[in-house]
Amino acid sequence: MNRLPDLSPEKSPLTLVEVIYSTTIREVMSTDPITVERNTPMSTVQHLMRDHGVSGLPIAEEGRLFGIVSVQDLIEALQQGKLNVPVSTCMTERVVTLEEDMPLSMAISTFSKYRFGRFPVLNAAQRLTGIISVRDINVTLVNRLLQQVSKFESMLDNEVTPGLELNRVFHTRQHDFENGGKASTTIKKHLVDHHVDRSLVKRIAIASYELEMNQVVHSIGGTISYRITPDAVEILVQDRGPGIENVDLALTEGFTTANEWIKSLGFGAGLGLPNAKRVSDEFFIHSEPNVGTTVKVVIHLDKKQKENAT
Amino acid sequence: MNIKDMARTCQWETLLEGADANAITSAYTSDLLSDVMANAHDADLLITIQAHNNTVAVASLAGIKAIVVCNDRTVPDDTLASAQKEQIAVYRTQTNQFETSCAVGKLLQS
């Protein structure tokens, strides 16, 4: 049997990692699953499975999950001539469940761990709200990856956008100094080409470059997204870890965790985040150790600017 | 003073020629790229020992037109390729950052 590939963040393409971590099980599962009650006879289970083409049915009453019955359980009941007994005597009671708010990655690892074909999904109140199968996951993954591919293709087509407005995402990789600065340079060119005031371009370039290089130097990789409107330039940087232990300290000029090699390249002086913050009109940072860091920066394009920009 | 004349007077080695029109009116000396980003303001020339792609990226972002690499440091080919793309002139000198800064300072004052 084909095995699922290793989908750990270190070994997968960033696009896939983003999809499986940002999609919740709620978005993937089939809702309103067909359920049976504890006293439903196995013969009804047989009919339901045949009519609806399902290979497993949760046993639930008013949302409370009591167990799950599979085709395997049905075959055993058939062999023993027990078609009239209530499903509660044939079902598996200790059911492995998933929760709606968990990321899709959790469902994938659960499927790899157990050999079951489906898992009931519960909400925060522990009520049954759906069921998730390998098929649900396949359909979602194919759809999401197709969307991503289309997005990448349109990005390639739209290298030159006619107006000032722009939405673009760049990816960074850990210690990839070769490409470090590429996102910022591209965006700066775009702004200059559209006659944005030089001093504003400078501020945007500083914020963008510092955040970009922070990802290259400190994170295991991530994305930098730009949203340019006639009103403002918004830069959103998100990485996949390792996160910042103490954000206040990281915002202190001169504080650094960079090693000597990084310092020898002219980085890691503890100026990055403070520089980015200083030039920004709005600055937001959130970081969680072992999860990652998100920084959002907004620089307003003032009224005079809007008149100049084309 | 135009960058070509400055390079000739200071006896810098030309790695990537600048445009005649590139007049140098101010310079900034630093090996710390974040410092260059934050403080180089309107400098036209960067005096540094950092010779890699990121030096070019910072120079481009900061609006610097030329880089002088001190202490005869090696400048990788890909760095020169980036500089060409960004239209930034690159020179090299055997003198250190202090000596280079003094020489440039004298020329800018005269």
Side-chain angles (χ1 to χ4, degrees):
Chain A
M1 195 176 103
N2 289 335
R3 289 189 62 86
L4 278 171
D6 182 351
L7 295 177
S8 57
E10 304 76 45
K11 293 185 181 162
S12 308
L14 191 61
T15 309
L16 182 66
V17 173
E18 276 173 3
V19 167
I20 67 174
Y21 282 86
S22 67
T23 308
T24 59
I25 289 178
R26 185 187 293 109
E27 300 167 71
V28 181
M29 68 185 192
S30 302
T31 49
D32 297 322
I34 305 157
T35 61
V36 289
E37 299 194 344
R38 281 174 292 178
N39 59 11
T40 307
M42 285 304 279
S43 53
T44 308
V45 169
Q46 184 192 6
H47 291 144
L48 282 172
M49 282 188 175
R50 190 188 56 209
D51 296 348
H52 296 277
V54 292
S55 56
L57 283 178
I59 290 90
E61 287 167 28
E62 288 170 5
R64 185 177 157 198
L65 181 70
F66 289 95
I68 194 159
V69 62
S70 66
V71 167
Q72 194 61 40
D73 299 323
L74 180 67
I75 292 171
E76 277 172 33
L78 274 167
Q79 282 172 344
Q80 297 167 16
K82 294 201 297 187
L83 274 187
N84 292 321
V85 301
V87 66
S88 59
T89 60
C90 301
M91 69 186 188
T92 305
E93 283 181 77
R94 294 175 57 114
V95 189
V96 180
T97 59
L98 289 165
E99 288 192 26
E100 285 183 344
D101 293 321
M102 289 174 172
L104 176 55
S105 60
M106 189 76 101
I108 293 171
S109 59
T110 307
F111 274 107
S112 312
K113 195 168 158 193
Y114 301 97
R115 295 205 155 257
F116 303 132
R118 73 213 65 75
F119 293 97
V121 181
L122 307 180
N123 65 12
Q126 298 297 301
R127 296 281 144 182
L128 179 76
T129 51
I131 193 156
I132 186 168
S133 67
V134 173
R135 185 177 182 278
D136 295 323
I137 294 181
N138 288 343
V139 168
T140 307
L141 275 185
V142 169
N143 277 332
R144 294 290 159 95
L145 291 176
L146 282 178
Q147 279 170 13
Q148 292 289 334
V149 170
S150 307
K151 204 165 105 188
F152 288 145
E153 283 184 354
S154 67
M155 269 184 208
L156 291 176
D157 294 343
N158 294 333
E159 284 276 13
V160 183
T161 8
L164 169 71
E165 287 179 58
L166 181 78
N167 282 302
R168 237 188 120 168
V169 183
F170 295 84
H171 293 251
T172 64
R173 287 185 191 281
Q174 181 171 36
H175 295 170
D176 181 10
F177 288 95
E178 287 301 302
N179 291 305
K182 226 168 219 177
S184 306
T185 316
T186 309
I187 292 302
K188 185 199 167 189
K189 264 205 188 89
H190 175 82
L191 296 170
V192 170
D193 287 348
H194 291 88
H195 314 293
V196 174
D197 180 76
R198 287 273 169 176
S199 66
L200 276 170
V201 173
K202 183 85 193 292
R203 284 170 52 206
I204 295 160
I206 290 176
S208 170
Y209 185 75
E210 294 293 5
L211 296 174
E212 185 178 1
M213 291 318 289
N214 264 352
Q215 266 191 354
V216 173
V217 169
H218 297 289
S219 86
I220 59 172
T223 56
I224 313 172
S225 319
Y226 296 87
R227 203 164 72 89
I228 304 173
T229 66
D231 296 316
V233 174
E234 190 182 298
I235 309 169
L236 181 70
V237 294
Q238 289 175 298
D239 67 52
R240 294 181 274 125
I244 302 171
E245 289 284 345
N246 184 331
V247 172
D248 288 336
L249 208 53
L251 283 167
T252 310
E253 212 159 276
F255 175 81
T256 180
T257 56
N259 61 30
E260 288 309 312
W261 170 66
I262 285 163
K263 286 180 183 163
S264 75
L265 289 169
F267 299 105
L271 292 173
L273 280 178
N275 266 356
K277 191 176 177 186
R278 184 173 48 79
V279 297
S280 306
D281 291 317
E282 292 172 37
F283 183 90
F284 163 87
I285 181 165
H286 177 75
S287 189
E288 224 171 290
N290 300 320
V291 177
T293 303
T294 300
V295 182
K296 188 178 142 183
V297 154
V298 180
I299 293 165
H300 299 303
L301 304 176
D302 59 20
K303 195 164 163 284
K304 176 173 144 276
Q305 177 52 43
K306 267 192 261 175
E307 283 158 12
N308 286 343
T310 50
Chain B
M1 184 171 204
N2 109 28
I3 184 69
K4 280 186 179 176
D5 293 340
M6 182 178 276
R8 206 174 304 123
T9 315
C10 296
Q11 295 183 309
W12 295 337
E13 179 188 351
T14 303
L15 301 181
L16 197 65
E17 188 77 270
D20 274 326
N22 273 353
I24 304 296
T25 56
S26 67
Y28 195 78
T29 307
S30 181
D31 299 325
L32 199 51
L33 297 181
S34 276
D35 173 54
V36 176
M37 277 307 287
N39 301 314
H41 298 301
D42 297 315
D44 305 307
L45 177 71
L46 174 64
I47 300 165
T48 186
I49 57 161
Q50 296 289 358
H52 49 83
N53 268 346
N54 299 106
T55 321
V56 175
V58 165
S60 158
L61 291 167
I64 288 163
K65 296 168 195 153
I67 301 169
V68 190
V69 176
C70 300
N71 284 351
D72 212 17
R73 286 235 181 172
T74 309
V75 182
D77 288 342
D78 60 338
T79 304
L80 290 176
S82 306
Q84 183 138 41
K85 225 163 68 190
E86 300 296 332
Q87 296 178 302
I88 292 170
V90 183
Y91 299 92
R92 180 161 57 189
T93 172
Q94 292 182 357
T95 59
N96 66 29
Q97 299 96 302
F98 175 73
E99 294 158 340
T100 312
S101 302
C102 288
V104 170
K106 260 188 208 153
L107 285 176
L108 289 181
Q109 274 168 6
S110 61

